[in-house]
Amino acid sequence: MDATKLAEQIVSGNHRALAKGISLVENRSSDHRKLLSLLYPHVGRAQTIGITGSPGAGKSSLVNGLVKEWRKQGKTVAVVAVDPTSPFSGGALLGDRVRMRDHDEDEGVFIRSMGTRGSLGGLSEACQDVVRLMDAAGFDLVVVETVGVGQSELDIMKTTDTVALVLYPSGGDVIQAFKAGIMEIADLFVINKADLPGVDQLRGELRDLIHITKGEEDWNPPITETVSTQKQGMENVVEEVLAHHHYLISSGRKTERRFSQRKQEVMRRLHERFTAEIEQVVEEYMNTEGESQDPYDAAEHIYERWKDEGEEN
Ligand SMILES: Nc1nc2c(ncn2[C@@H]2O[C@H](COP(=O)(O)OP(=O)(O)OP(=O)(O)O)[C@@H](O)[C@H]2O)c(=O)[nH]1
Ligand SMILES: [Mg+2]
């Protein structure tokens, strides 16, 4: 099918077309960039929410509960669960499917898992593109669930409007999240497994760290408590997500954030291309003339040569 037709079907809300589009994006197939360009004018309506936290924190259970709550309010939701460590074999994805099966028959819900396999251009790029497809398909909310608090999670989270960090008592992951820089970009904190002991202590630690990382900001990130397996506290999280959405709009932060994200994205995509191009030049130069030169001269010469070649073309 040609990209124009597929784009039309995706925009009209056809789930099968959306699934097909996602596969194109994941495989970085030759059509995918055209598809994304066609869809781009339809992107930007959904609120995108990143949900992260250490393995087993209860993210999938939380997302499942949140989806239920949003559906009660008549909102449509798409979810992409990203698992960079275990492409398709891992228990996590299987678990996600089981835990999210509640919504199998619901037309207002679309759930997709995504692994590293097939995402050649980098997982965060592919993930951002999948989110755009879901957004263009007309979902009110697009949720991205990522496992862990590493660099790729951070990159993915930075492409969303609202970031929620899921923690649990005695998980010991507050400091880890703090070190990884996730605390700084989190807009909401969810203490899940609030049925377990240690909630007060975790809340205390969290408050202190929020105070350090968020000193001067005008959005004070709320801490909500949930027992996701029993769907307790879902309405509070949904409310905070909405409050953050309103904050982003009224403060002008949404436009600001999206513009700066777009700049970063252009930069990143160019960076990738430049790197690929100049790598070859470096290789050639170093093998022929670079051996006896210091790195300053070598870099200077390579840059000049690369620029000249560009001008000739
Ligand atoms: N006691 C308790 N257990 C919970 C709660 N929420 C989730 N769990 C359990 O914690 C385990 C992990 O839940 P998931 O929802 O799969 O967690 P996750 O963060 O998505 O896990 P990964 O995707 O593997 O990182 C499961 O056994 C859940 O039943 C909760 O509120 N209380
Ligand atoms: Mg999960």
Side-chain angles (χ1 to χ4, degrees):
M1 193 197 302
D2 74 312
T4 313
K5 189 105 188 268
L6 188 61
E8 273 169 21
Q9 288 182 350
I10 290 173
V11 171
S12 77
N14 181 327
H15 284 201
R16 200 177 283 175
L18 175 58
K20 192 167 173 194
I22 291 174
S23 297
L24 290 182
V25 162
E26 277 188 317
N27 298 330
R28 289 319 212 206
S29 81
S30 52
D31 273 0
H32 89 276
R33 207 161 299 162
K34 181 167 182 216
L35 180 67
L36 285 162
S37 289
L38 287 165
L39 289 174
Y40 200 75
H42 302 276
V43 171
R45 215 184 49 90
Q47 182 183 6
T48 59
I49 300 142
I51 297 196
T52 194
S54 58
K59 301 175 294 294
S60 300
S61 310
L62 175 69
V63 171
N64 191 38
L66 293 177
V67 168
K68 198 156 223 171
E69 188 64 30
W70 276 317
R71 292 303 291 141
K72 261 198 243 164
Q73 301 181 0
K75 291 188 170 146
T76 57
V77 193
V79 180
V80 50
V82 185
D83 186 351
T85 48
S86 57
F88 290 109
S89 55
L93 293 187
L94 204 62
D96 283 341
R97 267 189 223 119
V98 175
R99 270 186 277 287
M100 293 187 189
R101 189 168 287 166
D102 290 10
H103 313 286
D104 257 6
E105 303 290 308
D106 187 346
E107 268 293 297
V109 178
F110 184 95
I111 294 168
R112 179 78 177 225
S113 291
M114 206 176 146
T116 30
R117 199 171 76 179
S119 49
L120 296 172
L123 188 61
S124 45
E125 275 76 27
C127 180
Q128 184 172 26
D129 291 340
V130 168
V131 168
R132 287 201 175 126
L133 251 57
M134 291 171 158
D135 185 344
F139 290 95
D140 297 315
L141 299 137
V142 177
V143 177
V144 188
E145 178 196 331
T146 63
V147 181
V149 282
Q151 185 58 47
S152 59
E153 284 76 20
L154 203 60
D155 288 343
I156 291 170
M157 290 299 118
K158 280 182 181 164
T159 67
T160 61
D161 298 324
T162 301
V163 176
L165 176 62
V166 183
L167 300 155
Y168 64 103
S170 30
D173 45 13
V174 186
I175 296 295
Q176 199 197 336
F178 178 68
K179 282 190 198 149
I182 287 269
M183 291 278 307
E184 264 160 273
I185 63 161
D187 304 298
L188 316 171
F189 293 88
V190 178
I191 299 182
N192 188 44
K193 308 196 188 186
D195 53 325
L196 301 181
V199 174
D200 290 344
Q201 196 196 329
L202 176 56
R203 200 193 305 111
E205 285 171 19
L206 208 45
R207 285 228 174 96
D208 291 345
L209 286 174
I210 291 172
H211 189 71
I212 297 170
T213 48
K214 310 265 177 178
E216 299 293 309
E217 275 179 42
D218 42 1
W219 169 260
N220 192 18
I223 304 172
T224 38
E225 285 154 33
T226 57
V227 183
S228 295
T229 37
Q230 285 160 42
K231 305 212 165 45
Q232 277 173 30
M234 297 302 120
E235 61 294 340
N236 296 334
V237 179
V238 161
E239 210 171 283
E240 296 296 0
V241 167
L242 188 63
H244 187 249
H245 181 65
H246 288 151
Y247 159 77
L248 284 177
I249 291 169
S250 64
S251 64
R253 280 283 166 102
K254 184 160 179 163
T255 323
E256 213 176 89
R257 202 148 156 160
R258 288 203 168 169
F259 186 60
S260 103
Q261 285 169 351
R262 192 136 32 125
K263 268 198 285 197
Q264 277 177 30
E265 184 180 351
V266 170
M267 200 59 212
R268 207 174 51 228
R269 288 183 193 272
L270 280 173
H271 195 270
E272 258 176 42
R273 278 176 73 168
F274 286 148
T275 307
E277 248 183 65
I278 209 155
E279 237 159 26
Q280 263 182 320
V281 186
V282 172
E283 186 73 18
E284 260 176 47
Y285 185 90
M286 292 309 287
N287 288 338
T288 52
E289 298 156 65
E291 271 176 55
S292 54
Q293 273 178 9
D294 71 48
Y296 309 102
D297 283 341
E300 192 60 30
H301 288 148
I302 291 169
Y303 178 74
E304 289 303 329
R305 182 173 298 187
W306 176 72
K307 223 173 63 176
D308 289 346
E309 274 174 19
E311 276 162 12
E312 278 165 26
N313 290 333

